[in-house]
Amino acid sequence: MKKTALITGATSGIGRATAHEFAKHGINLILCGRRQERLDTIEKALSKQTNVHTLNFDVRDKKATFNAIESLPETFKHIDILINNAGNAHGLDPIETGNIEDWDAMLDINVKGLLYVSKAIIPIMTKNNSGHIINIGSSAGKEVYPKGNVYCGSKHAVLAITEGMRIDLNPYGIKVGAINPGLVETEFSKVRFKGDAIADTVYKGYKALQPEDIADIIYFVITRPTHVNIADLLVFPTAQASSTIVNKNI
Ligand SMILES: NC(=O)c1ccc[n+]([C@@H]2O[C@H](COP(=O)([O-])OP(=O)(O)OC[C@H]3O[C@@H](n4cnc5c(N)ncnc54)[C@H](OP(=O)(O)O)[C@@H]3O)[C@@H](O)[C@H]2O)c1
C-alpha cells in the first residue's frame, strides 16, 4: 500500500526537495506552508507523479494547525510519515542586543510549531501502532556558536523533544529520529538576515549542502527495514568541520 507523508515547510528548501524526492517514489503527499502560490505550483508539478494535498497554515497558530489536519480528506488521513521541517533562524545577534521578536519567532516556530503539528498527528500513529517521525534539527542543536544563542537553543530543544518522543512512542512501534544538517543552501539565510545583502555571502566560496542532499538522506532514512530506526544523524558539507570552521579554500 502507498504510504502517506506530511511535510511541513514544503514551499522551499529542504521540505520542497523532500516533496520532490518522495513524489518520485509515489508516496502520497500532504504539503504544508504559508505561501499559497508556492503550494499551488508544487501541487501542480507533483500531481503528475503522486496524490498531493496541500494545507496552508502557520505552525505558530495552534487552532489553525489542528483545523488544517482535521480537514484532511479521508484518503489522506492515514499519515505514515511526518517530516517536521518548518523552521528558520531569525537574526544573528549577541544575546545582549538580540531582538525579542526574533526570539519569539524561533521558539514559536521551531519548537512550539513542531509540537503542535506532532500533537495533531501522533494520535493517528498511536492508533495504527506504526509511523515514522523525522524532526529536522540542526548542527546548531549539537553545538552553540557565537550569536547563535536562541536559534541554537531552539534546535537543542528539537533534539531533546526528539529523544523524548522516541522514548514515549516506543510502546507503539513508532520510529522517531532527527536529521541535523550543517550549512544547506536554501532561503534560510535570506530569512535569517531579512533580505540583507550578507545573506548572499553565506554560501559563497565553498560547496554547501544542497536541499536535495538532505532529501536524499531523508528518503534513505524512511526506507530502512521495519526493525531499523536511524535515531540521530549529523551531516555537514565536506568544507564544514563545525559550526564555526568552514574551509573556503577547497
Ligand atoms: N539551511 C540550513 O543551513 C539549515 C541548517 C540546519 C537546519 N536547517 C533547518 O532545516 C529546516 C528547513 O529550512 P530550509 O533551510 O529549507 O529553509 P527555507 O528554505 O527558508 O524553508 C523554510 C520552510 O519553513 C516554512 N515555514 C517557516 N515559518 C513557518 C511558519 N511559521 N509556519 C509554517 N511554515 C513555516 C517555510 O514556508 P512558508 O514561508 O511558505 O510558510 C519554508 O517552506 C528548518 O527547520 C531549519 O532550521 C536548515
Side-chain angles (χ1 to χ4, degrees):
M1 208 176 87
K2 273 179 133 193
K3 292 206 165 170
T4 298
L6 183 144
I7 304 173
T8 66
T11 54
S12 171
I14 295 169
R16 183 170 56 193
T18 305
H20 278 267
E21 184 63 26
F22 283 11
K24 266 200 266 171
H25 298 279
I27 296 171
N28 294 325
L29 291 173
I30 303 159
L31 303 178
C32 312
R34 294 166 302 175
R35 286 170 285 184
Q36 189 59 46
E37 216 183 292
R38 290 204 183 189
L39 287 172
D40 293 343
T41 308
I42 192 169
E43 177 172 14
K44 201 168 158 214
L46 300 188
S47 293
K48 295 179 189 118
Q49 294 169 290
T50 188
N51 303 311
V52 181
H53 187 84
T54 60
L55 294 175
N56 184 332
F57 63 95
D58 186 328
V59 297
R60 279 175 292 197
D61 185 336
K62 209 185 307 185
K63 201 156 168 262
T65 301
F66 281 90
N67 286 344
I69 290 160
E70 188 61 36
S71 78
L72 284 170
E74 224 31 68
T75 45
F76 283 92
K77 271 198 192 312
H78 187 296
I79 297 169
D80 304 284
I81 300 157
L82 165 61
I83 311 292
N84 272 320
N85 163 75
N88 277 114
H90 292 260
L92 182 70
D93 300 295
I95 198 75
E96 68 276 18
T97 55
N99 178 317
I100 289 192
E101 272 94 55
D102 286 343
W103 297 355
D104 282 342
M106 290 185 278
L107 294 171
D108 289 348
I109 300 168
N110 302 357
V111 183
K112 289 169 71 183
L114 178 148
L115 285 170
Y116 296 159
V117 173
S118 303
K119 177 82 175 161
I121 291 172
I122 285 171
I124 301 169
M125 295 185 170
T126 51
K127 195 167 148 235
N128 295 330
N129 279 306
S130 75
H132 196 160
I133 301 173
I134 296 178
N135 296 329
I136 305 302
S138 169
S139 54
K142 295 188 172 274
E143 181 193 15
V144 178
Y145 54 84
K147 303 183 195 169
N149 44 64
V150 178
Y151 179 63
C152 295
S154 76
K155 290 300 186 177
H156 274 68
V158 168
L159 214 48
I161 290 164
T162 303
E163 289 172 19
M165 281 183 175
R166 190 163 55 248
I167 294 165
D168 296 342
L169 298 177
N170 174 270
Y172 302 95
I174 297 169
K175 296 188 192 187
V176 184
I179 295 177
N180 305 290
L183 288 154
V184 191
E185 191 171 356
T186 63
E187 291 172 17
F188 183 83
S189 285
K190 283 199 172 64
V191 176
R192 173 167 238 175
F193 297 109
K194 303 172 176 73
D196 193 283
I198 194 179
D200 299 328
T201 65
V202 174
Y203 309 113
K204 288 257 161 71
Y206 69 101
K207 178 73 179 171
L209 290 167
Q210 299 301 299
E212 292 74 21
D213 297 321
I214 306 301
D216 207 25
I217 290 168
I218 294 173
Y219 183 70
F220 175 80
V221 170
I222 63 144
T223 49
R224 293 311 84 211
T226 311
H227 68 286
V228 179
N229 178 34
I230 296 180
D232 190 12
L233 196 149
L234 175 64
V235 52
F236 282 128
T238 305
Q240 183 178 16
S242 72
S243 294
T244 50
I245 299 176
V246 181
N247 184 348
K248 299 203 171 181
N249 301 307
I250 50 172

